[in-house]
Amino acid sequence: MAMIEAVPFPFHFDFDHVALVCIDMQKDFILPGGFADSLGNHIENVAPCIPVIQKLQEGFRKCALPVIHTKECHKPDLSDLPVAKRNRGNPKIKIGDHGPMGRILIDGEDGSDFIHELAPVFGELVISKPGKDTFYRTEFLDYLTTRKISNLIITGVTTEVCVQTTMRCANDRGFDCILIEDGTDSYFPEYKEITLKMLTSQGGIVGWTCKSEPILKALAEGI
Ligand code: TIU
């Protein structure tokens, strides 16, 4: 059992019941010409977490522990895309339209794929999700319960949208979640800051946060 110094108090996990969750590290959210860029977001603000998630993935893989990747995307016929979501924000290009990296947020298109630094390796679970909550219309819960995974180490973008939503939904389903402070980013640094505070307030009402360093140390030491 590893004991990790965390906010608001130490977090425990063991190798038999833990998974790394990497949320939506997709070109559409991170690279120039992607969906987020088309909405006018400061995509440079979500770059710092990339090398951190890379190190965590390496650490988990060395220990033969599960690494789970999610991507927010829709079917090519848009049958899983609510009209309200497509029209939200009145962007220049909408979900399903053709952009510089193929159709925006459509499964199988280049833009919806993972950035090359964080590409899944053979055997890792890749979840295509139509919403912000990773449990919504996906195999996530089945995968976790089948493998008796109870502790989730959470990373990805953006902190206050898909990351926070997934962590809250995991908390409601009984999972103990810790969000990696340097392994998540937002286009809005102040939203990241406040989300970390919200999740851990009231004695960890949703879960824990910590830096990547103690997790990497626990993995390197084999707990
Ligand atoms: N992955 C994720 O957070 N999806 C979003 O739509 N995020 C935004 O911040 N827009």
Side-chain angles (χ1 to χ4, degrees):
M1 180 78 75
M3 201 275 283
I4 303 291
E5 286 306 327
V7 180
F9 42 74
F11 177 81
H12 297 87
F13 72 92
D14 65 60
F15 276 20
D16 292 337
H17 304 287
V18 71
L20 176 68
V21 183
C22 308
I23 297 186
D24 298 0
M25 297 305 289
Q26 299 163 253
K27 297 174 190 174
D28 265 334
F29 289 121
I30 294 168
L31 297 186
F35 182 51
D37 192 24
S38 81
L39 295 175
N41 286 301
H42 286 285
I43 53 170
E44 69 277 11
N45 288 342
V46 296
C49 69
I50 297 170
V52 175
I53 300 175
Q54 223 171 359
K55 279 195 202 140
L56 286 164
Q57 289 185 351
E58 283 164 16
F60 268 69
R61 285 170 187 150
K62 272 193 193 137
C63 297
L65 297 175
V67 177
I68 300 168
H69 310 257
T70 76
K71 49 179 180 167
E72 183 177 349
C73 56
H74 295 274
K75 294 179 180 163
D77 66 2
L78 308 186
S79 58
D80 59 358
L81 174 63
V83 173
K85 182 176 176 182
R86 179 163 152 85
N87 291 336
R88 192 84 43 79
N90 198 22
K92 285 190 294 246
I93 40 177
K94 299 183 179 194
I95 296 173
D97 289 351
H98 290 270
M101 290 184 284
R103 292 181 68 199
I104 298 277
L105 282 191
I106 298 299
D107 207 1
E109 299 284 338
D110 188 39
S112 78
D113 201 1
F114 301 100
I115 56 169
H116 71 87
E117 297 95 321
L118 300 178
V121 301
F122 181 76
E124 291 176 348
L125 178 66
V126 174
I127 297 175
S128 296
K129 60 181 178 61
K132 290 157 176 70
D133 161 18
T134 302
F135 295 91
Y136 177 62
R137 295 173 73 173
T138 72
E139 64 276 42
F140 193 36
L141 185 60
D142 270 357
Y143 178 94
L144 297 176
T145 47
T146 303
R147 285 162 184 76
K148 297 187 167 46
I149 293 167
S150 53
N151 291 45
L152 302 179
I153 313 289
I154 299 184
T155 63
V157 296
T158 61
T159 317
E160 78 281 11
V161 186
C162 291
V163 171
Q164 164 161 231
T165 304
T166 293
M167 186 157 161
R168 287 178 181 275
C169 292
N171 179 58
D172 276 350
R173 286 163 178 78
F175 295 94
D176 282 330
C177 303
I178 189 159
L179 176 56
I180 304 302
E181 295 159 17
D182 48 344
T184 183
D185 279 312
S186 170
Y187 308 118
F188 309 93
E190 68 274 27
Y191 290 179
K192 169 178 170 174
E193 199 69 25
I194 199 69
T195 300
L196 296 176
K197 285 193 181 140
M198 283 161 58
L199 294 170
T200 56
S201 67
Q202 302 181 61
I205 187 104
V206 179
W208 291 257
T209 70
C210 73
K211 291 249 163 53
S212 56
E213 192 270 333
I215 302 283
L216 293 169
K217 189 160 173 278
L219 293 169
E221 288 169 358
I223 305 188

